[in-house]
Amino acid sequence: MPVTTIFRLQENLLLCAFFAVGAVQAWTMAYHDQEFSRRLLFVDRFVLSVLVAYWVMRDSARRGVPKPFIFGLLLFFLWPILATWHVFRTRGWKGFATVGIFVGLYLLAFVVPYVVFAFR
């Protein structure tokens, strides 16, 4: 899939925006040597769950994958398991690239800032 097609998809733009905002938050908090509050962590995890569920629902509709009736609700609560299952079911071994990009974005946004500022 060409890069222009990837960024034309609304769900991909939303995920990239989430990670960009998360990176700004994490770099700011790490710079001031603070941690996220519990409320902010809850909001971040809630928004991430909604965005991943939305991404999987849109991707499965685009690929013609049938969904059970309560798939969206299950996906919201069990997104790490079901999203990974969906990616490997629809893409096969190429799903490693998709999961790798997601994990890389997460690490870049939320883990790297604390590692960088831990050694200053």
Side-chain angles (χ1 to χ4, degrees):
M1 189 178 286
V3 173
T4 55
T5 304
I6 291 172
F7 287 110
R8 269 190 275 151
L9 300 175
Q10 179 182 3
E11 58 273 16
N12 290 348
L13 283 175
L14 288 172
L15 276 172
C16 288
F18 171 80
F19 285 122
V21 169
V24 170
Q25 288 175 339
W27 281 97
T28 304
M29 297 296 279
Y31 179 76
H32 293 292
D33 200 25
Q34 296 178 356
E35 294 182 8
F36 286 111
S37 67
R38 288 184 181 176
R39 184 175 297 154
L40 186 61
L41 284 174
F42 174 77
V43 169
D44 278 348
R45 289 177 183 155
F46 178 79
V47 171
L48 183 60
S49 296
V50 169
L51 289 176
V52 170
Y54 179 66
W55 182 86
V56 171
M57 295 296 284
R58 293 282 304 254
D59 189 65
S60 62
R62 190 173 29 262
R63 295 177 183 271
V65 176
K67 299 173 290 287
F69 178 69
I70 59 169
F71 185 66
L73 180 65
L74 288 174
L75 187 58
F76 175 75
F77 288 114
L78 302 173
W79 69 266
I81 297 164
L82 292 177
T84 307
W85 170 77
H86 169 77
V87 167
F88 284 108
R89 181 175 178 219
T90 58
R91 291 166 178 79
W93 291 104
K94 292 180 183 179
F96 274 115
T98 304
V99 172
I101 290 170
F102 181 81
V103 170
L105 285 172
Y106 186 83
L107 290 175
L108 188 64
F110 295 106
V111 175
V112 170
Y114 285 100
V115 172
V116 167
F117 286 109
F119 293 107
R120 64 177 169 141

